Amino acid sequence: MAQIVIAGGGIMGSCIAYYLALAGAASAVTVLEPDPAYEFAATPRAVGAIRLQHGLRENVEMSIYGDQVYSAFAEHVRGGKIEFDPQFRRCGYMYQVHGTEGIAALEANVRMQREVGVEVQLLDADELRRRYPSFRFVGVDCAALSLADGQIDPYAALMGFRRAAEGLGVTYIQDRLVALDLSGTLVTDAYLASGLSLPVDTLVNAANCWASEICAMVGMSVPIEPMRRQQFYFLTQQRIEPIPAMRRMDGPGVRMHQDGYLSGFTNHQQPSGLNWDLELEMFETVLWPQLADQCDAFEAIKLKGGWVGHYDMNRLDNNPIIDRFDKVSNFILAAGFSGHGLMHAPAVGRAVKELILDGGFRSIDLSRLSWRRVMDGHALRVTD
Ligand SMILES: Cc1cc2nc3c(=O)[nH]c(=O)nc-3n(C[C@H](O)[C@H](O)[C@H](O)COP(=O)(O)OP(=O)(O)OC[C@H]3O[C@@H](n4cnc5c(N)ncnc54)[C@H](O)[C@@H]3O)c2cc1C
């Protein structure tokens, strides 16, 4: 059987492997993953949001499928000797905007989301204060609230897919892809850090923040760069009403997490690249005052810690590239998820399986997430 080699065994590589295995191709699939502990991988560092609200239809459609899979994981993900429960629960999500342009963009997004089947309510500031009396909603004119948005344990989801893929017969090799051999327009062999080499019929690049390095091996230059995301976890003295994950157009978001709250920060001005520093001082001087402006209970808090991870930012338009490389037709890229990869992984796994085994996308048309748009410099509408 033709050999399918997947570089990267995070949630993306493992979902791709799993859907190939479900379709009967397990014995042809090898996943290369250098780190079985996933210390620096994005997946275990994700917050775990399964968000249905996006600005791009494809992202909404992929999230809906992610929701279906994660909310009934045991039905969808089978085959592992050890089964994992990603503990899906619905927590809701609210996006807050201000100004005429902000409201118009939000309303357009909500129309599209409703067409695709997401239940979203539009609420004005008075209604927001009635429902969430602990919050001031200063500078907020309107918000979109979808109550069904979910939350999972990202590590359990990753291990669930990985163990199921392995259980169905996929081989994981603890090794790093370091070079590729080409003959004409095809990859023929993969070379690994250990010195091993593997024959290749299809090479899938699912290496997230490291995807650009692998693209370079076949002469593909992609605008995907690691971008640091910091997460801060804090407790409050005062208890307030349950809240959905709240996101603002112009300030920090906040969500319930364990016994407290989580707030995240991405500095879009920072240089790209891996940077593992957690800036506690920045939390104290920048984020905390802004959170306290939103809600009195966030005045008296105890910072419990935080962590750093990296988005595989697609600098063109913050949306993934899921496509074959036109110059090397058996090289498939699935990266550039820009902070949304966990929720989209089941849909991407199924889509890449369709590209390889069925000759093209069958379930969700992801053709706009093409490599061609990158070559042509045609950004899709930027989503947050
Ligand atoms: C702080 C933070 C919060 C996030 N929150 C969310 C969220 O709430 N919801 C959501 O949907 N998404 C979220 N994301 C995004 C999400 O985590 C990622 O999009 C997703 O995990 C990407 O999965 P992946 O498998 O592509 O990447 P990874 O999990 O990073 O896996 C890539 C793997 O490739 C391996 N690799 C690297 N180089 C090579 C090589 N040369 N050969 C072989 N293997 C290689 C690495 O070891 C790594 O394990 C968040 C990300 C961060 C950083």
Side-chain angles (χ1 to χ4, degrees):
M1 196 181 244
Q3 292 306 302
I4 303 166
V5 176
I6 302 172
I11 191 84
M12 214 53 77
S14 295
C15 278
I16 295 166
Y18 176 68
Y19 281 90
L20 287 165
L22 265 192
S27 62
V29 179
T30 303
V31 180
L32 305 175
E33 174 50 60
D35 178 13
Y38 295 102
E39 185 180 358
F40 299 110
T43 306
R45 291 169 183 268
V47 166
I50 307 304
R51 165 153 65 89
L52 300 170
Q53 289 190 46
H54 295 273
L56 196 77
R57 181 181 288 259
E58 288 85 341
N59 285 337
V60 182
E61 291 175 323
M62 287 197 286
S63 281
I64 290 172
Y65 184 64
D67 176 294
Q68 287 166 7
V69 171
Y70 287 130
S71 64
F73 201 69
E75 276 171 39
H76 288 271
V77 187
R78 291 178 174 180
K81 284 196 193 105
I82 306 169
E83 303 213 328
F84 284 79
D85 177 3
Q87 295 166 36
F88 181 95
R89 63 184 174 78
R90 301 210 178 271
C91 56
Y93 175 85
M94 180 201 284
Y95 189 54
Q96 304 166 20
V97 301
H98 62 81
T100 325
E101 274 181 34
I103 295 173
L106 189 73
E107 287 177 346
N109 285 347
V110 168
R111 270 197 301 279
M112 176 274 290
Q113 290 154 8
R114 286 176 177 159
E115 274 169 28
V116 186
V118 182
E119 281 184 35
V120 197
Q121 309 169 39
L122 281 170
L123 308 174
D124 64 19
D126 288 343
E127 179 59 17
L128 289 169
R129 285 187 204 100
R130 198 186 62 73
R131 290 199 192 190
Y132 305 102
S134 302
F135 284 76
R136 291 194 191 87
F137 296 105
V138 173
V140 176
D141 293 323
C142 182
L145 172 66
S146 47
L147 292 170
D149 290 37
Q151 171 78 41
I152 60 165
D153 173 346
Y155 182 74
L158 161 58
M159 292 312 291
F161 274 111
R162 175 170 174 159
R163 292 288 182 250
E166 287 174 318
L168 293 175
V170 170
T171 304
Y172 277 67
I173 297 182
Q174 186 182 342
D175 217 329
R176 176 179 293 278
L177 177 69
V178 291
L180 293 169
D181 240 5
L182 280 93
S183 169
T185 60
L186 295 175
V187 177
T188 55
D189 297 276
Y191 295 94
L192 313 187
S194 63
L196 208 75
S197 70
L198 297 172
V200 173
D201 292 298
T202 300
L203 192 291
V204 181
N205 179 356
N208 193 43
C209 286
W210 302 270
S212 302
E213 296 166 18
I214 295 176
C215 287
M217 295 175 195
V218 294
M220 184 187 201
S221 171
V222 289
I224 298 174
E225 298 171 341
M227 190 173 80
R228 178 176 56 159
R229 172 83 178 164
Q230 303 182 61
Q231 297 293 160
F232 298 92
Y233 172 53
F234 60 91
L235 304 179
T236 56
Q237 275 181 21
Q238 188 192 328
R239 285 205 168 276
I240 58 167
E241 67 276 11
I243 55 167
M246 288 186 177
R247 182 84 180 265
R248 288 177 71 106
M249 205 176 150
D250 60 352
V254 65
R255 61 168 49 237
M256 294 168 69
H257 180 78
Q258 296 173 1
D259 297 331
Y261 298 88
L262 205 57
S263 186
F265 180 73
T266 309
N267 176 359
H268 289 267
Q269 314 312 325
Q270 71 193 339
S272 300
L274 298 174
N275 171 356
W276 297 99
D277 293 342
L278 184 69
E279 296 174 306
L280 295 175
E281 195 189 319
M282 186 279 301
F283 176 81
E284 201 158 312
T285 57
V286 180
L287 273 192
W288 186 5
Q290 291 181 28
L291 290 165
D293 277 349
Q294 292 181 30
C295 169
D296 283 342
F298 295 158
E299 295 267 3
I301 65 165
K302 182 173 176 182
L303 182 63
K304 292 290 284 180
W307 70 91
V308 171
H310 293 84
Y311 288 172
D312 54 335
M313 283 308 287
N314 178 356
R315 294 288 181 189
L316 175 70
D317 60 12
N318 296 4
N319 286 301
I321 305 166
I322 304 167
D323 202 358
R324 291 181 184 275
F325 179 33
D326 61 330
K327 296 198 168 60
V328 180
S329 58
N330 63 346
F331 183 96
I332 295 175
L333 174 63
F337 292 93
S338 308
H340 307 140
L342 181 72
M343 59 188 97
H344 292 157
V348 175
R350 187 178 61 173
V352 173
K353 172 265 191 194
E354 291 170 354
L355 268 186
I356 296 172
L357 299 185
D358 308 330
F361 298 125
R362 294 289 179 266
S363 307
I364 303 175
D365 181 5
L366 298 180
S367 52
R368 288 203 302 164
L369 302 177
S370 65
W371 161 240
R372 174 146 291 283
R373 86 179 193 281
V374 182
M375 282 193 301
D376 295 346
H378 284 156
L380 288 170
R381 216 186 82 177
V382 173
T383 63
D384 59 351

